[in-house]
Amino acid sequence: MFLSANKVHAYFSGDCVECMACSDNVVRAGLTGKFIDVDTLLSMVDCTPTTAESQKLKPEVRSDSISSYVPPVKDFAVDRVCVDGNVSIAPQDSPQVIICTEGAGSISAEDGVTNITAGDVVYVVPQTDISIEGSCTLFSAYCQK
């Protein structure tokens, strides 16, 4: 799903991987004990009606193991990597932040091996070839070209 700036959103149940562009204007709308700036919220929120279906990103299938979610902005993209054995990931021009959401495995790069399980996060420097071995689901966030 991709939501443009000034769209209200919330999670009521389940799991979600959220990636957002750099911002200094997060404004809370409710469902929190934190400060809610109603005047700012009302001045900026975009209430244009849309359907849930129109907000969904269709994944670009890169291989049997990798699906890319590429929003209509250059700030970021997210790959879903389903590993059952061994998967190689091509280097990116930007850093990558990888989170393991299910299972366990290991990420190998020229400087070593890092074991991962659900909940672990790994930072990968730009232009690094990595391979992942195991049985796990990962999400990799990076900047688009």
Side-chain angles (χ1 to χ4, degrees):
M1 173 175 281
F2 174 76
L3 298 173
S4 58
N6 301 328
K7 296 286 188 175
V8 176
H9 64 281
Y11 308 103
F12 291 105
S13 67
D15 294 324
C16 176
V17 173
E18 180 176 5
C19 186
M20 58 189 277
C22 289
S23 173
D24 63 356
N25 68 346
V26 172
V27 178
R28 292 174 195 89
L31 305 176
T32 180
K34 297 177 183 176
F35 175 70
I36 300 169
D37 187 340
V38 175
D39 292 335
T40 298
L41 176 67
L42 293 175
S43 73
M44 64 184 280
V45 71
D46 178 356
C47 294
T48 306
T50 59
T51 63
E53 197 60 36
S54 71
Q55 304 298 302
K56 291 181 182 176
L57 286 176
K58 297 199 180 2
E60 297 175 12
V61 177
R62 309 247 177 197
S63 71
D64 289 342
S65 301
I66 302 173
S67 297
S68 296
Y69 296 87
V70 182
V73 296
K74 292 290 186 189
D75 297 288
F76 58 86
V78 176
D79 290 349
R80 181 174 191 250
V81 183
C82 297
V83 182
D84 186 17
N86 194 310
V87 175
S88 294
I89 296 181
Q92 296 290 338
D93 291 332
S94 76
Q96 296 179 68
V97 176
I98 298 175
I99 183 169
C100 179
T101 58
E102 290 181 52
S106 60
I107 297 178
S108 300
E110 62 184 50
D111 63 344
V113 176
T114 301
N115 293 320
I116 54 170
T117 60
D120 289 343
V121 177
V122 177
Y123 177 84
V124 179
V125 298
Q127 296 301 322
T128 301
D129 285 303
I130 59 174
S131 65
I132 303 158
E133 189 173 322
S135 179
C136 55
T137 300
L138 312 172
F139 288 86
S140 172
Y142 54 91
C143 295
Q144 294 190 64
K145 295 178 184 172

